[in-house]
């Protein structure tokens, strides 16, 4: 597992983000539209044909494997394929992670694509978002990996506007303990705690401002 250096300026990162974000947003909109559309079956077939043409265009030139986790010389993270924050990943909500005094936080909206129980967020999605946020809070001095995470679902998390936060509670050598929550307007819906480990092999990897993903 290697992090990839993208030898480009911060201005170029911003320019590329500006190019990909609208494309990814449109694909995300497509996913929501496919879930919720009620058009005729003929219209569906026509849509499928046109989407397949676009897919073929995009595949006419593409990288061999996944995007990878890239960073610039200034250590700005470009985890653009990431399942939670990826600028090029329409499956990511995406979370915009902000560093605050005691850790990280994020405000986001989850729509139809994240449904589990009726009208509510899939528990695995809550776990994924919390895993990322706790890991991000723990990664201030270098990348760390989830060792163990536990989620407690206090009540259903309704689809819609949500916020989440995470913070480190303790550090012992390469192990960082973190906690976090997801909340709706009425308060906390689920909480997590976990241990995140700076792997032996990554001790020398520079800290990257992952939240800029
Ligand atoms: C991160 C990459 C994506 C980046 C994306 C970009 C965005 C970046 C934002 C950052 C946010 C990331 C947030 C997402 C984070 C994931 O999703 S990471 C993916 C899920 N996790 C994994 O795949 C980890 C797989 N496991 C491993 O690679 C290795 O087992 C580990 C966890 C790195 C540990 O390996 P190691 O460095 O050889 O550790 P080792 O020396 O055996 O043990 C060190 C200590 O940790 C303890 N420990 C070891 N394993 C565990 C465990 N599973 N549970 C509890 N304790 C453990 C040991 O008991 C030991 O404790 P002490 O004896 O010192 O008290």
């Amino acid at each position: 597992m290697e992090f990839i250096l993208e030898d480009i300026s911060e201005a170029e990162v911003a320019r590329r983000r500006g190019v990909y974000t609208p494309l990814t947003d449109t694909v995300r909109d497509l996913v929501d539209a496919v879930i919720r559309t009620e058009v005729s079956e003929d219209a569906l077939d026509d849509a499928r044909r046109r989407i397949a043409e676009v897919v073929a265009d995009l595949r006419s030139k593409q990288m061999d494997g996944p995007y990878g986790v890239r960073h610039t010389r200034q250590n700005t993270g470009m985890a653009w394929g990431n399942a939670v924050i990826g600028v090029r990943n329409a499956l990511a909500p995406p979370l915009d992670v902000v560093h605050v005094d005691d850790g990280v936080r994020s405000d986001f909206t989850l729509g139809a694509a994240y449904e589990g129980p009726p009208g509510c967020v899939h528990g695995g999605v809550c776990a994924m978002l919390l895993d990322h946020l706790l890991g991000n809070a723990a990664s201030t001095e270098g990348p760390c990996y989830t060792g163990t995470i536990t989620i407690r679902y206090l009540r259903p998390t309704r689809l819609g506007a949500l916020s989440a936060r995470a913070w480190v509670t303790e550090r012992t050598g390469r192990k960082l303990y973190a906690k976090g929550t997801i909340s709706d307007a009425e308060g906390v819906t689920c909480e997590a705690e976990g241990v995140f480990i700076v792997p032996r092999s990554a001790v020398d990897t520079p800290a990257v401002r992952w939240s800029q993903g």
Side-chain angles (χ1 to χ4, degrees), residues 11-49:
E12 177 61 11
V13 175
R15 192 194 67 77
R16 290 188 194 180
R17 186 184 289 113
V19 170
Y20 283 103
T21 297
L23 172 63
T24 312
D25 282 347
T26 303
V27 177
R28 202 172 281 122
D29 202 23
L30 173 65
V31 170
D32 185 79
V34 169
I35 294 171
R36 297 167 55 204
T37 187
E38 296 186 309
V39 300
S40 70
E41 292 188 6
D42 282 349
L44 288 178
D45 194 51
D46 186 48
R48 182 205 54 73
R49 186 185 49 73

Side-chain angles (χ1 to χ4, degrees), residues 11 13 15 19 30 49 51 64 70 79 87-88 93 103 133 139 151 156 167 193 200:
V13 175
R15 192 194 67 77
V19 170
L30 173 65
R49 186 185 49 73
I51 293 166
D64 288 338
R70 309 183 187 192
V87 166
R88 291 172 64 153
L133 286 165
S139 293
I151 315 290
W167 61 95
E193 59 183 26
R200 250 181 293 243

Side-chain angles (χ1 to χ4, degrees), residues 112-186:
Y114 302 99
E115 186 173 44
C120 296
V121 183
H122 194 295
V125 171
C126 293
M128 177 176 74
L129 301 185
L130 284 165
D131 179 34
H132 183 91
L133 286 165
L134 270 63
N136 203 153
S139 293
T140 49
E141 292 168 32
C144 57
Y145 294 77
T146 316
T148 301
I149 188 165
T150 306
I151 315 290
R152 187 176 175 95
Y153 298 92
L154 304 173
R155 61 186 173 83
T157 302
R158 306 284 310 173
L159 293 170
L162 298 164
S163 67
R165 49 189 293 263
W167 61 95
V168 172
T169 55
E170 187 189 339
R171 175 170 191 162
T172 314
R174 288 187 287 117
K175 290 190 297 189
L176 292 101
Y177 295 84
K179 289 189 175 178
T181 57
I182 293 178
S183 302
D184 62 15
E186 273 77 55

